[in-house]
Amino acid sequence: MRSQPAFAAPRPQRADWLPPSLVLAAMGFNLILCFLNGRFLPVSNLHVMAGEALILATALLAAYGTMRQEHLLLLSGTVVFALGLASLRVALGTEPSLNIKIVRDLAIPIVFFLVGLRVADIGRADRLVTLVAGLVLALALFEYFAVDVFTDYFNVARYYVARGTMDAQEALKAGDLFISGVRPAGAQGGRNLLPFLGDHRVSSVFLEPVSMGNFGLIVFTWGLVRSKFEGKLFLGVMGAGLACVVLSDSRFGAYFCLMSLVVVLLPAALARLAVALAPLAAIGVLLAVPYVVTGSYDPQHRYVDNGFVGRLVLSGQILAEFDWRNWLGLAPLPLSTFDSGYAYVLEGIGAVGVAAGWLVFQSLRGASTQFDTFRNVAAMYYAVLLSVSNSPFTIKTASLLWFLLGVLSRDPGRPKVPAPAPAPTPMLRTAKLRAARRLALR
């Protein structure tokens, strides 16, 4: 008999519309701000931070009914630990000002997991995935077939310049799209997935193609896990996920869809062991890759190419520059860690914090084997993607992933209904009647 999930809570009865609405808001508020920036008011990074803070605060209130003491301890302990390290870096003089971005990045998974606990109905989760996949694909096709009209309403480059994420020179190269919205000609032959579609990388609701690709693989893996445990193929959901991966030309998304199939088909014990050791293995590979590929390490030449191997080399080179203070989260590197998620999170909470967070992730228990499988796929997603990016922390995709994990944590899955007994044949009914008469005569 399976033990009760560690995060079980009484089923709430009110405001059922709120949890899925919060996921929709987290995914789409940047699109709304982009529209407002081009039409009504100038948007700054302050508006973005305020929008995220409002969504997170509302989600925290929505999750209040599912909170138990251990939830509050986990959330407050995470915030205090990350804030404490950030304050210590300022006190030691290794960082000029208090950087609390990592606090938000770590709070998003916990809060949206708790929001998912409030729902605990896998049917509603299925409907939400179908809804958001349809909305994202509809806007993606609009962007692809009418990009000039799309950018007239949603000038992505101007929005990210207003936010301070892109400079004007990058915006000129990108046109009206995000800086990575078009594959440069000659870079691995332009588009990697279905080259006949052209070099435009579709972003849809997310405004940048990386999140679009990550969203696609989340939707695909949801359909894959549901297909395994529901006994029927969720072809529409998986097809929508693959379409998002292809339209965004996400190389990682394509690789991971294949990897997720392996994780789902592995025996449960083996899959869990592989996932538990994945971050340690990934960091070891990253530290070795620069020497294997280049034969040496030259800090002056960090970029090898823009392919997947080149991104691994760059990430490994960033980690190779860590000293003991960086590994403990006591000092940041002077260079950007955007292309190395492991470097980013190690800077923020140190190796001790990363190990503790991964242990908590692996200790999550659900009401069914379906939760264990989806948790393993989600954990592998983080373990692999952090090798080349810190994108899994964005609220645009993390909100959906952790909401689904929360729903699965409490939903017991489809109960096994015994097969109905076959209807008695006329001959059998006659035999039963004769037997009953004989008993009555006695």
Side-chain angles (χ1 to χ4, degrees):
M1 180 182 293
R2 289 182 65 87
S3 59
Q4 289 295 315
F7 290 93
R11 183 183 293 271
Q13 299 295 327
R14 58 182 180 175
D16 286 339
W17 55 268
L18 185 56
S21 299
L22 287 166
V23 176
L24 287 170
M27 291 175 58
F29 83 98
N30 275 282
L31 183 75
I32 296 171
L33 289 178
C34 180
F35 176 77
L36 293 176
N37 181 66
R39 298 269 170 177
F40 299 103
L41 58 91
V43 171
S44 69
N45 206 38
L46 184 63
H47 294 91
V48 181
M49 291 189 293
E52 287 194 359
L54 178 61
I55 292 169
L56 270 178
T58 308
L60 197 57
L61 289 174
Y64 179 78
T66 64
M67 277 193 182
R68 296 199 320 218
Q69 184 177 9
E70 57 265 36
H71 305 150
L72 188 59
L73 286 174
L74 176 62
L75 182 59
S76 58
T78 300
V79 171
V80 168
F81 181 77
L83 272 177
L85 270 181
S87 302
L88 187 57
R89 289 193 292 270
V90 174
L92 294 174
T94 57
E95 196 166 33
S97 59
L98 194 66
N99 185 357
I100 61 172
K101 183 176 180 295
I102 189 67
V103 178
R104 178 213 64 175
D105 293 340
L106 297 177
I108 289 170
I110 300 172
V111 171
F112 276 93
F113 184 89
L114 294 175
V115 171
L117 291 182
R118 175 183 176 129
V119 176
D121 180 355
I122 202 166
R124 294 186 63 200
D126 284 333
R127 291 191 289 274
L128 176 64
V129 171
T130 302
L131 173 64
V132 294
L135 292 174
V136 168
L137 265 184
L139 192 61
L141 293 174
F142 172 48
E143 177 189 347
Y144 179 76
F145 287 108
V147 64
D148 292 334
V149 181
F150 176 85
T151 53
D152 183 50
Y153 286 98
F154 308 102
N155 194 305
V156 180
R158 190 187 305 162
Y159 171 65
Y160 278 100
V161 169
R163 285 184 50 177
T165 308
M166 290 171 58
D167 58 39
Q169 216 169 20
E170 289 176 324
L172 286 174
K173 294 178 183 177
D176 293 327
L177 298 170
F178 191 66
I179 188 64
S180 60
V182 177
R183 285 280 185 209
Q188 292 83 47
R191 171 177 280 272
N192 296 273
L193 306 176
L194 303 186
F196 65 84
L197 293 175
D199 293 335
H200 176 196
R201 302 179 66 197
V202 177
S203 303
S204 187
V205 173
F206 309 100
L207 305 181
E208 39 86 19
V210 171
S211 291
M212 172 74 162
N214 292 346
F215 168 79
L217 69 88
I218 291 170
V219 170
F220 174 83
T221 54
W222 175 261
L224 183 64
V225 172
R226 294 289 289 126
S227 296
K228 177 180 179 181
F229 289 92
E230 194 67 17
K232 64 179 181 179
L233 287 176
F234 282 63
L235 289 177
V237 173
M238 291 190 290
L242 287 176
C244 292
V245 169
V246 171
L247 286 170
S248 62
D249 195 33
S250 172
R251 294 169 297 200
F252 173 79
Y255 297 148
F256 190 81
C257 285
L258 294 174
M259 185 179 294
S260 65
L261 182 61
V262 175
V263 174
V264 168
L265 294 178
L266 277 176
L270 184 58
R272 186 168 183 183
L273 178 62
V275 166
L277 298 177
L280 190 61
I283 291 174
V285 169
L286 287 175
L287 290 172
V289 159
Y291 297 94
V292 173
V293 174
T294 65
S296 62
Y297 170 50
D298 181 2
Q300 301 302 318
H301 299 87
R302 296 191 179 95
Y303 289 91
V304 177
D305 59 60
N306 195 38
F308 189 71
V309 174
R311 299 283 297 277
L312 288 175
V313 171
L314 172 61
S315 183
Q317 290 174 338
I318 292 172
L319 283 176
E321 295 193 21
F322 270 36
D323 60 21
W324 66 271
R325 295 181 307 167
N326 303 128
W327 285 103
L328 293 178
L330 299 177
L333 280 178
L335 55 100
S336 171
T337 57
F338 176 81
D339 288 307
S340 178
Y342 282 111
Y344 169 75
V345 72
L346 283 166
E347 277 186 344
I349 57 175
V352 173
V354 171
W358 194 252
L359 183 62
V360 171
F361 195 178
Q362 293 301 300
S363 68
L364 294 178
R365 293 290 180 273
S368 68
T369 309
Q370 187 169 200
F371 169 81
D372 297 339
T373 303
F374 192 66
R375 182 207 57 215
N376 287 342
V377 175
M380 188 62 77
Y381 162 73
Y382 271 84
V384 179
L385 186 53
L386 286 176
S387 300
V388 293
S389 173
N390 63 6
S391 60
F393 293 111
T394 177
I395 195 173
K396 291 184 281 189
T397 53
S399 55
L400 176 64
L401 175 64
W402 286 91
F403 173 82
L404 294 176
L405 275 166
V407 173
L408 277 181
S409 178
R410 284 189 51 213
D411 192 287
R414 190 173 71 167
K416 292 184 178 180
V417 180
T425 62
M427 186 178 295
L428 182 61
R429 285 198 296 268
T430 303
K432 286 183 176 179
L433 285 172
R434 287 175 180 171
R437 286 172 186 166
R438 282 197 295 269
L439 287 172
L441 290 174
R442 291 176 187 173

